[in-house]
């Protein structure tokens, strides 16, 4: 048996700095223990300053770039190599295959499969994470809510890929000793709320409501940290959360979800919510450099802005930059385009499809404007929209991290971030083309909805040829442009016979489409 080693407090501080430079978590970054050819259990014992095998200790240090492992370690001789005679062994009463813990043999020298589990963490299907940057403020806030203020519910929301799950994985590594047990579960297309709650109980009942009652009893009997990573929330979920936040207990429920927390929870005590936003500029630069990208600080800032400082989007676009431009940011930015990675587009697609009609309409209007617009000005262009409903819809879009607020004056203005702008314009163009196809099939203007309710040319401008949306419509439409131009002329004649209130922006839009097509 080789020598066992443990880290000193000063050494751990140095290792902590090294892993932060790489954007790794303490124990949830799979690459760390895999590259060190050890296990997560061994890495955890390393952080608890327990003795582990010399070879594993050296590999853990070297994997984060610390080669002088001696400066990290407090070296202890292997108790089995001592020259002091040991007493004669007494016959064992244990069966041949039973686990016998030698009091003189530290746990660090036992195989991982035979070690008792000192951490009551059931990670379930929580992901291993590759990188973790920044989030110091968020971690401190969450730890205060969870440990000091004993919040019953902490709700984590934010756009897809923004790092919600990664943040909570890193948090669990810090605060798990404050709980008797930590359980992580995902509620997605394959695992419903019913099955997840039933899985948490020893003797699940036949109905969801009965199981929620049992879960309330369980969280009242022990200090439990329950983490639910929710893909699509439901009324059943909100009902379960209401029940769990109403009973007396010292447990904590963390819910991770793209959607914002409903207003009915705002008045509840010991309920907190956090909207996770993009990384800081410095953290984004660290991430891009860690992904092998090269460029100036201003170029990194420009790239971060294009992708809303979304860590997943930056990681994915970094792969494209590596493949096509050998990691050089300059030629990528010169393309003057936004590459939409499939995981980000799919996440935005799911979020967009679940939005109410008014919220979709507001996103389309902001995409048409392509610059911040004040609420009062936006209201003047909406047709048949209640101002109170518009205020509420804008508030929800802000909490969904889909739109950005600006305060140029006393009244807020709203805009879309570049990556969201690209997605929304794509959706708007596809929807309009679908309306055109249906109108052609029916020889009627009845299928036109968006062309009635949204003006494709920004009000107050006449830049038809240079308009981004019209240009994209022109390039996306696959049928002969001349045929469409003639049909558009026919539709203009039909539209002129309709009452103006029913037409909305239709006549203006058809004329703009015709002018754009004929100029092509």
């Amino acid at each position: 048996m080789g020598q066992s080693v443990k880290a000193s407090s000063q050494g751990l501080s140095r290792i902590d700095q090294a892993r932060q430079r790489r954007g790794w978590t303490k124990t949830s970054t799979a690459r760390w223990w895999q590259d060190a050819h050890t296990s997560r259990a061994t890495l955890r014992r390393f952080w608890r300053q327990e003795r582990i095998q010399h070879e594993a200790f050296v590999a853990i240090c070297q994997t984060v770039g610390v080669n002088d492992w001696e400066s990290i370690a407090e070296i202890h001789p292997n108790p089995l190599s001592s020259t002091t005679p040991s007493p004669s062994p007494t016959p064992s009463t244990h069966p041949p295959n039973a686990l016998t813990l030698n009091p003189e043999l530290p746990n660090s020298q036992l195989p991982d499969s035979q070690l008792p589990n000192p951490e009551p963490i059931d990670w379930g299907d929580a992901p291993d994470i590759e990188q973790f940057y920044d989030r110091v403020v968020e971690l401190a806030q969450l730890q205060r809510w969870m440990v000091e203020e004993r919040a019953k519910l902490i709700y984590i929301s934010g756009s897809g890929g923004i790092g919600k799950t990664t943040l909570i994985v890193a948090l669990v590594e810090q605060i798990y000793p404050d709980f008797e047990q930590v359980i992580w579960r995902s509620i997605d297309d394959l695992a419903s709320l019913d099955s997840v709650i039933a899985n948490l109980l020893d003797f699940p009942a036949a109905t969801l409501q009965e199981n929620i009652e049992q879960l309330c009893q369980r969280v009242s009997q022990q200090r439990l940290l329950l983490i639910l990573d929710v893909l699509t929330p439901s009324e059943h979920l909100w009902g379960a959360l209401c029940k769990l936040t109403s009973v007396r207990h010292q447990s904590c429920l963390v819910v991770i979800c793209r959607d914002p927390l409903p207003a009915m929870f705002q008045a509840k005590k010991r309920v907190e919510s956090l909207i996770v936003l993009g990384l800081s500029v410095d953290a984004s630069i660290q991430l891009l450099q860690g992904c092998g990208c090269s460029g100036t600080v201003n170029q990194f800032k420009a790239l971060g802005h294009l992708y809303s400082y979304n860590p997943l989007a930056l990681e994915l676009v970094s792969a494209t930059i590596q493949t096509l431009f050998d990691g050089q940011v300059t030629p990528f930015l010169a393309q003057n385009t936004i590459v939409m990675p499939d995981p980000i587009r799919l996440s935005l697609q799911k979020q967009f499809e679940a939005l109410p009609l008014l919220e979709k309409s507001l996103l389309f209007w902001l995409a048409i404007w392509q610059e911040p617009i004040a609420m009062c000005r936006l209201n003047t262009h909406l047709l048949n929209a209640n101002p109170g409903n518009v205020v509420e819809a804008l508030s929800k879009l802000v909490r969904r991290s889909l739109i950005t607020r600006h305060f140029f004056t006393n009244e807020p203005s709203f805009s879309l971030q570049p990556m969201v702008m690209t997605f929304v314009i794509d959706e708007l163009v596809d929807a309009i083309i679908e309306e055109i196809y249906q109108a052609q099939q029916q020889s009627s203007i009845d299928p036109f909805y968006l062309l009635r309710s949204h003006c494709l040319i920004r009000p107050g401008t006449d830049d038809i040829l240079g308009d981004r949306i019209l240009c994209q419509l022109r390039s996306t439409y696959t049928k002969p442009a001349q045929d469409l131009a003639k049909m558009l002329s026919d539709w203009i004649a039909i539209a002129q016979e309709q009452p103006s209130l029913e037409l909305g922006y239709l006549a203006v839009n058809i004329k703009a489409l015709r002018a754009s097509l004929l100029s092509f």
Side-chain angles (χ1 to χ4, degrees):
M1 187 75 69
Q3 187 182 47
S4 64
V5 190
K6 78 171 185 177
S8 65
S9 298
Q10 199 170 24
L12 276 187
S13 177
R14 186 178 168 197
I15 292 292
D16 198 38
Q17 293 175 0
R19 66 95 185 168
Q20 288 182 37
R21 285 194 295 270
R22 281 168 165 72
W24 293 357
T25 60
K26 287 186 174 180
T27 62
S28 294
T29 300
R31 180 179 172 184
W32 193 348
W33 75 76
Q34 290 171 358
D35 286 0
H37 302 289
T38 184
S39 66
R40 178 188 279 183
T42 300
L43 185 57
R44 287 174 180 163
R45 296 201 301 277
F46 173 87
W47 282 107
R48 291 197 302 267
Q49 292 181 272
E50 296 177 7
R51 285 184 288 177
I52 63 175
Q53 287 299 306
H54 168 269
E55 293 80 4
F57 187 96
V58 173
I60 287 171
C61 295
Q62 290 179 341
T63 303
V64 288
V66 178
N67 294 318
D68 55 334
W69 64 270
E70 296 90 344
S71 65
I72 306 300
E74 287 181 2
I75 304 175
H76 295 266
N78 188 332
L80 294 185
S81 64
S82 171
T83 55
T84 305
S86 57
S88 301
T90 55
S92 173
T93 58
H94 296 279
N97 294 326
L99 170 62
T100 305
L101 297 181
N102 186 336
E104 296 185 357
L105 185 62
N107 281 347
S108 60
Q109 296 180 5
L110 291 171
D112 288 340
S113 60
Q114 295 184 358
L115 282 170
N117 181 16
E119 297 182 29
I121 303 179
D122 178 357
W123 286 102
D125 48 7
D128 291 326
I129 56 182
E130 290 300 319
Q131 295 174 315
F132 181 75
Y133 294 98
D134 201 17
R135 307 300 192 193
V136 175
V137 174
E138 291 93 333
L139 284 172
Q141 178 69 76
L142 291 169
Q143 188 165 357
R144 182 164 63 252
W145 286 341
M146 194 174 290
V147 178
E148 298 176 18
E149 301 177 12
R150 298 295 179 101
K152 292 181 180 178
L153 170 64
I154 298 177
Y155 192 88
I156 310 296
S157 61
S159 57
I162 205 68
K164 304 181 295 295
T165 300
T166 300
L167 174 64
I168 300 305
V169 168
L171 177 70
V172 170
E173 292 183 353
Q174 294 186 11
I175 52 79
Y176 74 86
D178 194 67
F179 294 88
E180 296 175 52
Q181 189 173 16
V182 179
I183 301 176
W184 186 300
R185 293 291 183 268
S186 294
I187 300 176
D188 51 26
D189 296 335
L190 300 178
S192 65
L193 177 68
D194 308 47
S195 62
V196 166
I197 291 182
N199 178 261
L200 299 173
L201 305 172
D202 292 330
F203 303 102
T207 68
L208 174 62
Q209 292 305 316
E210 290 176 306
N211 286 334
I212 292 174
E213 293 288 345
Q214 286 193 47
L215 183 59
C216 289
Q217 294 179 10
R218 179 174 180 183
V219 299
S220 302
Q221 294 166 357
Q222 65 177 142
R223 179 140 165 80
L224 175 69
L225 174 57
L226 174 59
I227 302 159
L228 298 179
D229 197 346
V230 180
L231 179 63
T232 304
S234 64
E235 291 302 321
H236 290 308
L237 175 67
W238 305 135
L241 296 183
C242 275
K243 185 67 176 179
L244 287 164
T245 53
S246 299
V247 298
R248 183 187 298 273
H249 63 80
Q250 293 299 313
S251 294
C252 181
L253 175 62
V254 175
V255 176
I256 306 168
C257 188
R258 283 193 301 259
D259 289 6
L261 185 66
M264 63 182 175
F265 290 92
Q266 294 177 0
K268 285 183 170 288
K269 295 182 179 179
R270 293 171 60 193
V271 172
E272 305 289 352
S273 63
L274 174 69
I275 300 176
V276 180
L277 303 176
L279 294 174
S280 68
V281 172
D282 290 342
S284 297
I285 293 174
Q286 278 186 298
L287 185 153
L288 291 167
Q289 290 175 334
C291 291
C293 291
S294 301
T296 66
V297 171
N298 286 336
Q299 288 170 338
F300 283 137
K301 288 181 179 179
L303 187 59
H305 174 69
L306 286 178
Y307 290 91
S308 309
Y309 298 98
N310 182 302
L312 177 59
L314 289 175
E315 287 179 19
L316 293 172
V317 77
S318 293
T320 300
I321 294 173
Q322 282 281 8
T323 301
L324 296 181
F325 305 105
D326 196 29
Q328 300 299 313
V329 174
T330 304
F332 176 79
L333 292 176
Q335 305 305 310
N336 195 28
T337 187
I338 295 180
V339 176
M340 186 72 70
D342 286 343
I344 297 297
R345 182 177 291 278
L346 179 61
S347 177
L348 286 171
Q349 185 72 48
K350 289 182 178 180
Q351 194 172 9
F352 180 82
E353 289 174 352
L355 294 178
L357 188 61
L358 179 56
E359 292 181 34
K360 290 180 180 178
S361 177
L362 290 171
L363 290 179
F364 286 149
W365 269 111
L366 293 178
I368 291 167
W369 276 92
Q370 299 175 42
E371 62 185 26
I373 177 174
M375 186 185 301
C376 63
R377 194 174 185 187
L378 181 61
N379 273 317
T380 62
H381 300 296
L382 299 176
L383 302 179
N384 304 318
N386 181 290
N389 293 339
V390 172
V391 170
E392 180 62 23
L394 288 171
S395 175
K396 289 182 178 179
L397 288 172
V398 170
R399 285 184 282 140
R400 296 181 198 275
S401 301
L402 288 174
I403 66 175
T404 303
R405 291 177 301 171
H406 307 271
F407 288 94
F408 304 121
T409 62
N410 292 332
E411 184 180 15
S413 297
F414 303 93
S415 68
L416 300 178
Q417 296 173 344
M419 184 171 64
V420 179
M421 174 83 74
T422 298
F423 171 81
V424 175
I425 288 178
D426 288 347
E427 290 293 313
L428 177 59
V429 168
D430 289 346
I432 290 174
I433 288 179
E434 181 60 31
E435 287 186 0
I436 291 173
Y437 287 158
Q438 291 182 10
Q440 287 176 311
Q441 291 175 357
Q442 299 176 23
S443 299
S444 168
I445 62 172
D446 291 343
F448 291 127
Y449 167 75
L450 288 174
L451 290 180
R452 293 175 189 265
S453 58
H454 296 76
C455 184
L456 299 184
I457 299 295
R458 286 180 290 175
T461 69
D462 56 1
D463 184 14
I464 292 178
L465 300 183
D467 185 87
R468 178 178 176 183
I469 292 176
L470 287 174
C471 288
Q472 190 164 330
L473 275 165
R474 190 172 61 222
S475 62
T476 306
Y477 185 77
T478 58
K479 295 185 178 180
Q482 293 299 324
D483 293 346
L484 178 58
K486 181 181 183 307
M487 189 164 289
L488 287 170
S489 299
D490 295 338
W491 288 338
I492 291 174
I494 296 173
Q496 289 174 343
E497 300 174 359
Q498 304 292 322
S500 58
L501 290 178
E502 294 181 9
L503 281 181
Y505 295 104
L506 181 59
V508 173
N509 286 329
I510 291 177
K511 290 177 181 178
L513 280 169
R514 185 174 182 276
S516 177
L517 286 169
L518 291 178
S519 66
F520 183 62

